[in-house]
């Protein structure tokens, strides 16, 4: 079942977009054409996610997703409880 989250990627600024989650992983998408293709359609399979964390910066919930290959991605997600529950279920099980 697909779930959708309004989210922004924190990479050289704040890139507005959204996260689509399904049974295999999460995909961040943005319509910004001024960023590299990698960040316009960023796929992260649950099996490749090593860990995640959440902290509050000012009044925004910022999730850091650490991948097995050493990459880290930071997202502001506007449904933090739902998103954290999803990651807890899929990543830490």
């Amino acid at each position: 079942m697909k779930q959708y989250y309004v989210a922004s990627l924190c990479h050289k600024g704040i890139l507005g977009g959204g996260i689509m989650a399904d049974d295999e992983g999460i995909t961040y998408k943005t319509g910004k054409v001024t960023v590299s293709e990698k960040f316009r359609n960023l796929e992260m399979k649950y099996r490749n996610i090593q860990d995640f964390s959440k902290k509050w910066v000012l009044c925004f919930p910022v999730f850091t997703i650490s991948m097995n290959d050493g990459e880290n991605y930071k997202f502001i997600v506007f449904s933090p409880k739902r998103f954290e529950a999803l990651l807890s279920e899929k990543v830490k099980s």
Side-chain angles (χ1 to χ4, degrees):
M1 183 169 125
K2 293 184 179 180
Q3 297 179 40
Y4 297 92
Y5 302 88
V6 175
S8 296
L9 175 67
C10 304
H11 175 75
K12 297 183 181 177
I14 305 296
L15 301 173
I19 291 177
M20 188 273 301
D22 60 20
D23 293 333
E24 298 295 315
I26 59 176
T27 303
Y28 168 78
K29 293 186 181 220
T30 184
K32 305 256 182 185
V33 295
T34 57
V35 298
S36 73
E37 180 64 33
K38 174 183 177 179
F39 297 110
R40 278 186 259 164
N41 192 34
L42 181 61
E43 292 184 34
M44 295 163 277
K45 300 291 184 192
Y46 298 125
R47 67 178 177 267
N48 296 331
I49 297 175
Q50 182 178 17
D51 200 9
F52 72 93
S53 63
K54 178 183 89 173
K55 69 178 181 178
W56 290 86
V57 177
L58 299 174
C59 61
F60 298 105
V62 178
F63 286 84
T64 301
I65 298 177
S66 302
M67 306 300 291
N68 289 333
D69 64 3
E71 290 282 341
N72 291 312
Y73 302 107
K74 292 186 179 193
F75 296 94
I76 297 171
V77 181
F78 294 97
S79 295
K81 289 181 183 177
R82 271 193 329 124
F83 191 65
E84 186 171 21
L86 169 81
L87 291 179
S88 293
E89 175 189 335
K90 299 291 187 177
V91 175
K92 298 206 175 187
S93 47

